[in-house]
C-alpha cells in the first residue's frame, strides 16, 4: 500500500513530492504589499477584456499620465466651449444692428405775425425788450451736469451732452451757419448713417418731413438777411433719457432770438427780432459716443415772424420790418381738398411782440 502523502499518479518527475521542498520559498510582508492587483470593471468583464490587466494611459510630459477616455472627454468639452463662444459672438442677436439711412423727422411751423411787424426801438440794444430769463449764446443752453443713467456711465453722459452743446453752437449760434451758408461744421457731427440724408437736404432741400435743411441748422438766405448783432439770446433746457439699454437719448428745447436786418443795409437800419424755437431729439450708441457724433432723429422748428405761404425747407423766411413797419397778410385758410400742398404744413400766429 502506497504512501498516503503521494498523489495517485505517483510522484512527479524532478520532485520528491515532499512539502519540505517549498519551505525554502519565503513570501515576506513587503513582497505581498508590493504586489498590485488590478481588478477589472464589470463592463470589461462583460466585454471579455480579460487580456487587459490595466487601462491604456497617455503620458503628458510633466503632467503625468491621463487615461485616453479622460483626454477624449476633455477635448470634447473644449470643442463644445469653443463652438459656443464662436456662434455666440457671430450670432445676429449678439451684435445689435446700427441704424442706417436718415432717421430724421422734421416738422416746420411758420409763425405769422398777428399785426404789422415793427423794428426794435433801439438798434444798438436790440434785445432790451426781451423778458427775463434769456442769456447770451452758450450760457442760455443751460447744459446740465452729466449724471449716470441705468446703462450709461456719468462719463458717457457727459460726453453726449458736450457733443450736443457743440452741435447747437455750430447749428444755431455760429454766424457761418446762420447767414453765410456754411454746413461743413454741422455735418461733422452727423453719424455716417445720416450723412447721406444730410447731404441730400443740402443739395435739394424739400419740406417732405425728412429733407428740410432747416431741421438740421438755423439758416437765413444771405442774399436777403444779415445779422444786426452776432449775439444770440437763448433760453431753454436739456433732458437726459434712454431710448433703450443701448441708446442714450438727449432732448433739447430752446428758443433763440436773432437780431436781423436786410442784407447790405447800413448801420442804423431797422432791426427785426426773429424767434426760432428748436425742439430736438438726439440719440447715441457707444460707437457714436466714441466718435463724438450724434443721430438727430426728430426736429420740430417754429419760426416767426414768417409768412405762412413761404417754404422754410432751405432757409427760414423772416418778415423784416421797415422803418414804418411791415404789413403781413393774415394766415390763409387751409383747403383740405388741395393735395398740391403737403398735409403736414402748418402755420400758427406769433404771440407777443
Amino acid at each position: 500500500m502506497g504512501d498516503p502523502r503521494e498523489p495517485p499518479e505517483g510522484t512527479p518527475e524532478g520532485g520528491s513530492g515532499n512539502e519540505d521542498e517549498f519551505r525554502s520559498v519565503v513570501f515576506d510582508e513587503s513582497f505581498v504589499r508590493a504586489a498590485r492587483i488590478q481588478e477589472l470593471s464589470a463592463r470589461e468583464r462583460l466585454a471579455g477584456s480579460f487580456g487587459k490587466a490595466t487601462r491604456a494611459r497617455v503620458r503628458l510630459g510633466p503632467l503625468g499620465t491621463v487615461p485616453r477616455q479622460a483626454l477624449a472627454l476633455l477635448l470634447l468639452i473644449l470643442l463644445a466651449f469653443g463652438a459656443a463662444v464662436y456662434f455666440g459672438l457671430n450670432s445676429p442677436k449678439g451684435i445689435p444692428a446700427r441704424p442706417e439711412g436718415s432717421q430724421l423727422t422734421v416738422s416746420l411751423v411758420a409763425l405769422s405775425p398777428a399785426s404789422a411787424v415793427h423794428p426794435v426801438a433801439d438798434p444798438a440794444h436790440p434785445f432790451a425788450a426781451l423778458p427775463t430769463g434769456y442769456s447770451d449764446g452758450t450760457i442760455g443752453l443751460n447744459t446740465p451736469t452729466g449724471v449716470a443713467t441705468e446703462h450709461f456711465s456719468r462719463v458717457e453722459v457727459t460726453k453726449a451732452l458736450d457733443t450736443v452743446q457743440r452741435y447747437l453752437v455750430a447749428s444755431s449760434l455760429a454766424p457761418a451757419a446762420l447767414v453765410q451758408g456754411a454746413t461743413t461744421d454741422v455735418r461733422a457731427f452727423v453719424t455716417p448713417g445720416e450723412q447721406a440724408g444730410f447731404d441730400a437736404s443740402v443739395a435739394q432741400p424739400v419740406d417732405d418731413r425728412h429733407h428740410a435743411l432747416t431741421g438740421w441748422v438755423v439758416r437765413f438766405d444771405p442774399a436777403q438777411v444779415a445779422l444786426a448783432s452776432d449775439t444770440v439770446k437763448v433760453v431753454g433746457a436739456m433732458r437726459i433719457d434712454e431710448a433703450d439699454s443701448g441708446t442714450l437719448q438727449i432732448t433739447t428745447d430752446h428758443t433763440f432770438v436773432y437780431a436781423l436786418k436786410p442784407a447790405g443795409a447800413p448801420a442804423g437800419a431797422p432791426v427785426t427780432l426773429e424767434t426760432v424755437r428748436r425742439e430736438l431729439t438726439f440719440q447715441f450708441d457707444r460707437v457714436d459716443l466714441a466718435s463724438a457724433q450724434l443721430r438727430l432723429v426728430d426736429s420740430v422748428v417754429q419760426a416767426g415772424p414768417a409768412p405762412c405761404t413761404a417754404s422754410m425747407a432751405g432757409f427760414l423766411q423772416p418778415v423784416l420790418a421797415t422803418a414804418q413797419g411791415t404789413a403781413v397778410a393774415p394766415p390763409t385758410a387751409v383747403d383740405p381738398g388741395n393735395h398740391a400742398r403737403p398735409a403736414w404744413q402748418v402755420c400758427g400766429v406769433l404771440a407777443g411782440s
Side-chain angles (χ1 to χ4, degrees):
M1 191 171 177
D3 190 336
R5 293 177 297 178
E6 294 181 0
E9 297 82 7
T11 302
E13 295 182 3
S16 64
N18 195 326
E19 291 180 357
D20 294 339
E21 181 180 358
F22 301 99
R23 289 178 182 173
S24 61
V25 180
V26 180
F27 297 95
D28 59 5
E29 184 177 356
S30 61
F31 180 87
V32 174
R33 289 182 177 180
R36 180 179 178 184
I37 301 175
Q38 176 70 40
E39 184 178 358
L40 300 179
S41 66
R43 180 174 294 179
E44 290 171 334
R45 289 196 297 268
L46 291 175
S49 302
F50 299 104
K52 293 183 180 180
T54 59
R55 297 177 182 175
R57 295 171 177 263
V58 177
R59 180 169 294 278
L60 298 179
L63 298 180
T65 58
V66 178
R68 289 183 179 176
Q69 294 88 340
L71 182 62
L73 180 60
L74 178 61
L75 291 175
L76 183 62
I77 293 173
L78 290 176
L79 288 174
F81 179 79
V85 171
Y86 175 83
F87 288 110
L89 292 176
N90 290 276
S91 171
K93 295 181 180 179
I95 304 176
R98 301 197 70 232
E100 295 294 338
S102 178
Q103 306 296 306
L104 177 61
T105 300
V106 181
S107 297
L108 302 176
V109 182
L111 300 177
S112 178
S115 59
V117 178
H118 295 279
V120 299
D122 184 0
H125 301 88
F127 305 108
L130 285 180
T132 59
Y134 284 86
S135 300
D136 292 352
T138 306
I139 299 174
L141 295 177
N142 291 321
T143 305
T145 302
V147 293
T149 63
E150 183 179 359
H151 299 97
F152 290 85
S153 68
R154 181 185 62 82
V155 173
E156 290 173 324
V157 174
T158 299
K159 188 166 186 178
L161 290 169
D162 178 69
T163 303
V164 168
Q165 176 178 294
R166 291 188 295 117
Y167 173 86
L168 291 175
V169 170
S171 65
S172 307
L173 303 178
L178 296 175
V179 292
Q180 297 173 20
T183 59
T184 303
D185 290 346
V186 176
R187 188 183 187 276
F189 290 96
V190 180
T191 59
E194 285 193 319
Q195 286 178 358
F198 180 87
D199 293 341
S201 300
V202 173
Q204 190 172 359
V206 58
D207 189 7
D208 62 354
R209 304 206 71 182
H210 297 289
H211 297 93
L213 184 54
T214 48
W216 293 97
V217 56
V218 176
R219 66 198 310 254
F220 306 102
D221 187 351
Q224 304 294 326
V225 177
L227 292 176
S229 172
D230 286 343
T231 299
V232 179
K233 291 292 185 176
V234 188
V235 66
M238 303 185 191
R239 186 177 73 250
I240 305 166
D241 200 359
E242 289 186 5
D244 54 54
S245 61
T247 306
L248 182 65
Q249 183 167 289
I250 307 292
T251 302
T252 66
D253 191 355
H254 295 94
T255 300
F256 303 87
V257 181
Y258 304 92
L260 306 177
K261 64 180 182 179
V271 176
T272 306
L273 294 184
E274 176 78 357
T275 302
V276 179
R277 179 180 177 182
R278 304 182 78 194
E279 185 175 356
L280 310 176
T281 302
F282 304 92
Q283 292 184 349
F284 301 82
D285 60 21
R286 287 181 170 81
V287 176
D288 302 329
L289 291 172
S291 61
Q293 292 179 309
L294 49 78
R295 282 178 280 139
L296 179 58
V297 297
D298 191 65
S299 175
V300 179
V301 179
Q302 299 175 345
C308 288
T309 55
S311 171
M312 298 197 303
F315 297 102
L316 300 181
Q317 304 287 345
V319 176
L320 298 179
T322 63
Q324 295 77 30
T326 303
V328 180
T332 58
V334 176
D335 179 8
N338 180 11
H339 292 202
R341 290 178 59 85
W344 56 82
Q345 287 191 347
V346 294
C347 184
V349 176
L350 179 62
S353 58

